[in-house]
Amino acid sequence: MGEPLRIGMVGAGKISGAYLETLARLDSVRLTAVTDLDLDRAKEAASRASGDVRVAASVVDLVTWDDVDAVLNLTIPAAHAGVALVALSMGKHVYGEKPLAATREEAESVLGAARAGGLRVGCAPDTVLGTGTQTARKAVDDGLIGRPVAATAFMASAGPEPWHPDPEFYYRPGGGPLLDMGPYYLSALVHLLGPVVRVTGASSRPRAEREIGSGPRAGTRFPVEVDTHITGVLEHADGALSTLVMSFDVRAARLPRIEVHGTEGSLSVPDPNNFEGLVELHRGGGWEPLPVLAGYPAAGRGTGLGDLAEAITSGRPHRASAELAQHVLDVMLTLLDAARGGRSLPVNTTCERPERVEQ
């Protein structure tokens, strides 16, 4: 292992706390700088970080510092591409929260800038690098279920407004259950079954308004501007078919998070929004738990950034790649296009199935 990759963090909101905890445990990275539109919030994050962390006045300021090798981009989704392009223009690697960008065009501009500069871009979710999804991945790779033929992926909830004090952004353009939670499920499906080549979709918007259920604005009603129940069929390059349901319109459900079915058996895969979880195999004699077979143990938000740093040192591809994130974004946007038109559409991007995380 060489010198740690020196990290400048842009955005010190709620999710930054989880990253700070993980970065403090990783030998491959070292946080050196932080900035936020609210500098008091940036100062507070710097005070909680391990080591000497300076506060930059702005993103432009931070990316000029010599002790910043890579930018950790934790801004709001609408700002992801803009911050990434500023960092790349100054020769900094980038790792960001999902999604990679708001549009296909923005995503392609980020990848183009990285290629032109010989730089790395990584993107969450990195939950799929934990022992849950990776154990399921090894079971598939080892042929424990035979040839994969189908998968199901379900995220069914009543929506965030019962608990979130300011939930409106979930129901505006760029929001909705698919774009909010889909990256976790689709990244897992690509790890398990490979890239998607075609999608068929349908969607609905049962309610025109929602009501905030908690906090000082409880009882406030607001408009719903996006579809809130999306279902689709995904055709993977190797022929497997995945059925996907992402919904903010389900009061209660007992649906599995992800299941993968093959010619010789079935796998129950844990919640892809978590790093760990029980993987179970059924080959005709009942469900049996599998031991941990693969994945980063005790992983947390930021494990993908550590993987990127190690990949730079060793010269291998990093697993939470921009190419995977671009493909996932394209699958989601194509599925929404297909749902609006009530048809089947090809997915025009692809990616390599990331390398499995060995124990």
Side-chain angles (χ1 to χ4, degrees):
M1 179 68 67
E3 290 295 317
L5 193 69
R6 297 168 297 180
I7 307 299
M9 186 172 76
V10 178
K14 185 174 182 180
I15 193 63
S16 67
Y19 276 88
L20 291 174
E21 290 181 10
T22 302
L23 297 185
R25 303 196 307 263
L26 298 176
D27 295 331
S28 58
V29 298
R30 178 166 62 88
L31 187 67
T32 58
V34 61
T35 192
D36 190 277
L37 291 174
D38 182 343
L39 289 183
D40 287 336
R41 192 161 64 177
K43 292 173 184 176
E44 195 275 333
S47 71
R48 289 188 286 120
S50 60
D52 182 20
V53 178
R54 294 189 291 162
V55 174
S58 66
V59 176
V60 174
D61 187 22
L62 182 144
V63 298
T64 64
W65 289 358
D66 291 337
D67 63 349
V68 172
D69 303 313
V71 167
L72 172 59
N73 185 2
L74 303 182
T75 57
I76 62 173
H80 285 178
V83 170
L85 289 170
V86 169
L88 292 166
S89 72
M90 294 302 297
K92 311 298 183 180
H93 305 292
V94 175
Y95 182 91
E97 255 300 321
K98 54 85 180 172
L100 176 65
T103 67
R104 295 180 179 91
E105 293 75 19
E106 285 183 349
E108 183 56 39
S109 69
V110 170
L111 266 72
R115 287 191 291 264
L119 298 164
R120 302 267 188 148
V121 176
C123 187
D126 53 4
T127 47
V128 292
L129 304 182
T131 56
T133 299
Q134 290 296 307
T135 290
R137 162 76 182 271
K138 182 167 174 55
V140 171
D141 291 351
D142 288 351
L144 297 187
I145 62 170
R147 178 175 60 85
V149 297
T152 57
F154 299 117
M155 193 294 297
S157 78
E161 68 272 15
W163 56 267
H164 199 295
D166 299 292
E168 289 96 330
F169 71 95
Y170 285 103
Y171 297 94
R172 292 171 180 156
L178 180 61
L179 292 177
D180 178 45
M181 294 300 295
Y184 298 102
Y185 289 79
L186 288 166
S187 296
L189 289 172
V190 172
H191 270 267
L192 294 166
L193 300 174
V196 177
V197 296
R198 178 171 289 274
V199 299
T200 303
S203 63
S204 64
R205 193 182 311 179
R207 285 178 278 171
E209 288 187 331
R210 299 263 176 154
E211 183 176 315
I212 299 175
S214 65
R217 301 171 61 227
T220 301
R221 300 189 66 81
F222 60 90
V224 176
E225 301 176 41
V226 296
D227 288 352
T228 50
H229 186 98
I230 295 94
T231 184
V233 176
L234 319 177
E235 180 184 342
H236 295 266
D238 287 344
L241 300 177
S242 291
T243 301
L244 180 77
V245 174
M246 299 278 118
S247 183
F248 285 161
D249 290 299
V250 176
R251 185 61 54 189
R254 294 177 176 175
L255 296 165
R257 299 297 186 177
I258 295 178
E259 289 183 349
V260 183
H261 307 285
T263 55
E264 305 297 330
S266 296
L267 276 175
S268 174
V269 184
D271 187 346
N273 194 19
N274 296 328
F275 289 89
E276 302 173 346
L278 181 65
V279 179
E280 294 182 289
L281 173 67
H282 195 298
R283 289 173 58 91
W287 291 102
E288 299 179 0
L290 290 178
V292 170
L293 301 173
Y296 286 114
R301 311 277 172 171
T303 293
L305 177 56
D307 180 86
L308 182 149
E310 293 174 6
I312 292 173
T313 300
S314 64
R316 65 167 172 82
H318 55 285
R319 294 178 174 91
S321 70
E323 290 77 12
L324 171 59
Q326 180 191 37
H327 180 60
V328 165
L329 176 65
D330 192 26
V331 171
M332 293 190 297
L333 295 177
T334 304
L335 179 55
L336 291 174
D337 289 341
R340 281 189 288 267
R343 54 184 173 159
S344 175
L345 291 173
V347 177
N348 293 322
T349 60
T350 190
C351 66
E352 295 293 327
R353 194 169 172 232
E355 180 184 358
R356 191 175 67 233
V357 180
E358 302 291 354
Q359 281 285 293

